[in-house]
Amino acid sequence: MKQIIFTEKAPAAIGPYSQAVLSNGTLYVSGQIAFALAEAGASIEEETRQVMENLKAILEAANMTFENVVKCSIFVKNMNNFVAINGIYGEYFSSNPPARETVEVARLPKDVNVEISCIAVS
């Protein structure tokens, strides 16, 4: 069985997908972006922090925290932003960070600069 997780504290899905799906104790969180900040020309640090706050809100809606996260995927528009993104990301995983990959892509939805998804277990 699966349970759809939704919170108003994170952006609603912009297509035919859910913010997150909980199945057998595993939470699959869709990629989060900060399109309002990206459109406003915010810094990569501000954009990344909002993405992480979106993830936090979704995790909380499923009664989880970043401590439950076992895997993250980070998609970046420009790998030159890696250090800045990594700095903000690291603030949310102070100990025992999850497995992760960071991939540079040609383009992201809504022309944002960073998208992050995660998997968490209860």
Side-chain angles (χ1 to χ4, degrees):
M1 292 193 56
K2 67 180 183 179
Q3 176 187 353
I4 302 303
I5 303 297
F6 173 80
T7 178
E8 291 184 6
K9 295 180 181 179
I14 57 175
Y17 61 90
S18 301
Q19 286 177 331
V21 175
L22 181 63
S23 179
N24 296 319
T26 302
L27 182 69
Y28 302 89
V29 183
S30 294
Q32 294 299 299
I33 61 175
F35 56 86
L37 289 177
E39 288 179 346
S43 71
I44 191 63
E45 292 88 356
E46 292 169 313
E47 199 174 327
T48 304
R49 187 171 309 284
Q50 184 59 59
V51 167
M52 296 303 292
E53 289 297 316
N54 293 348
L55 290 170
K56 181 180 176 182
I58 295 167
L59 288 165
E60 288 174 350
N63 297 312
M64 295 189 191
T65 70
F66 283 109
E67 291 181 10
N68 297 98
V69 175
V70 296
K71 177 76 165 47
C72 284
S73 297
I74 302 178
F75 303 95
V76 298
K77 192 172 176 180
N78 184 340
M79 195 58 82
N80 290 331
N81 289 326
F82 177 80
V83 171
I85 292 167
N86 204 47
I88 300 300
Y89 173 92
E91 293 175 14
Y92 292 83
F93 297 105
S94 56
S95 64
N96 301 314
R100 182 187 92 182
E101 69 269 332
T102 303
V103 181
E104 183 180 68
V105 296
R107 193 168 178 202
L108 288 165
K110 302 284 188 176
D111 291 317
V112 298
N113 296 295
V114 60
E115 178 175 357
I116 303 174
S117 64
C118 70
I119 299 171
V121 294
S122 58

